[in-house]
Structure formats: C-alpha cells, structure tokens
Amino acid sequence: QVQLVESGGGLVQAGGSLRLSCAASGRTSSNYAIGWFRQAPGKEREFVAGINWIRITTYADAVKGRFTISRDNAKNTLYLQMNSLKPEDTAVYYCATSRGLVPGPDKRVYDYWGQGTQVTVSS
C-alpha cells in the first residue's frame, strides 16, 4: 500500500511563491511516475505537472514557466516549486502515482492519491 502525504500549502499574495512537498511511503523502488493535480471549488480536478523516474517532466500550459516539478528519489519525495502565483492557482493540490511511463492528464492511470494541501492566492 502506497501512502502519499502533501505539505507546504498556505496563503500567499499574488506574485508570491510556495513549495509543495509530497512524501511517498510503501514503495520499494523509485521506478514510477508521479504527478500533481489541483482542484478548485466547483471545478474538475486538473493535471498540473508530472515527472517520471528518469525525470522526464510534463506541465499543463497554465503553469509552464512558473511551476517546476522535481523529485528526490533517495527521500521518496516529490516537490512543486510554484512561482509568480496567481489567484486562479487557488485550489487543493494533490499528488498521485501513475502507472504510465510519462505522467499526463489522464486520471485513469493514477492509482494512489494523497489527501491534498490547500493553496490560496490572494489578489
């Protein structure tokens, strides 16, 4: 059983930065892809960014150039550095492990999910 625990969310002003973390436990290897999703009130959960075990990364167009995904396999931890935050980035952010080779927006290939961390960006 894989457990994912997100942290690092909070309240920040527009233009500010936050760094989210996702600690993974229960896996015996790092050969998996993992991604970040977010869900704003009244909206569908959407893909934000993903990274696989050889560090191929993918990003949603809305966050390209502002967000950076990375992972530390030795610590089994995923990160999301979020810069130049906008009010529309406000959402609950989730990490999830993927069965795919390159993480993308198809939620059907994600099997384990964290509980989420709230990010609120004020204008």
Side-chain angles (χ1 to χ4, degrees):
Q1 182 75 10
V2 176
Q3 290 187 325
L4 303 172
V5 179
E6 302 95 337
S7 61
L11 173 64
V12 64
Q13 288 188 332
S17 298
L18 280 175
R19 188 195 195 204
L20 305 184
S21 299
C22 170
S25 60
R27 280 200 180 262
T28 57
S29 77
S30 299
N31 293 342
Y32 59 92
I34 189 167
W36 288 99
F37 283 76
R38 66 186 182 186
Q39 187 167 19
K43 294 189 176 182
E44 293 282 326
R45 190 171 297 188
E46 64 176 3
F47 175 76
V48 175
I51 186 169
N52 70 4
W53 58 95
I54 54 173
R55 294 182 171 79
I56 292 175
T57 58
T58 53
Y59 293 93
D61 288 344
V63 306
K64 279 182 182 176
R66 300 189 297 122
F67 292 10
T68 302
I69 190 170
S70 62
R71 64 190 290 172
D72 184 333
N73 289 337
K75 296 182 179 180
N76 281 331
T77 301
L78 174 73
Y79 302 99
L80 186 68
Q81 178 66 44
M82 305 186 295
N83 298 328
S84 302
L85 283 161
K86 305 175 181 180
E88 51 263 43
D89 294 318
T90 296
V92 177
Y93 284 70
Y94 301 87
C95 60
T97 56
S98 170
R99 299 187 298 275
L101 297 177
V102 179
D106 186 354
K107 291 188 286 293
R108 294 174 297 178
V109 301
Y110 291 84
D111 42 15
Y112 296 100
W113 293 80
Q115 83 290 346
T117 185
Q118 176 70 47
V119 171
T120 303
V121 184
S122 63
S123 57

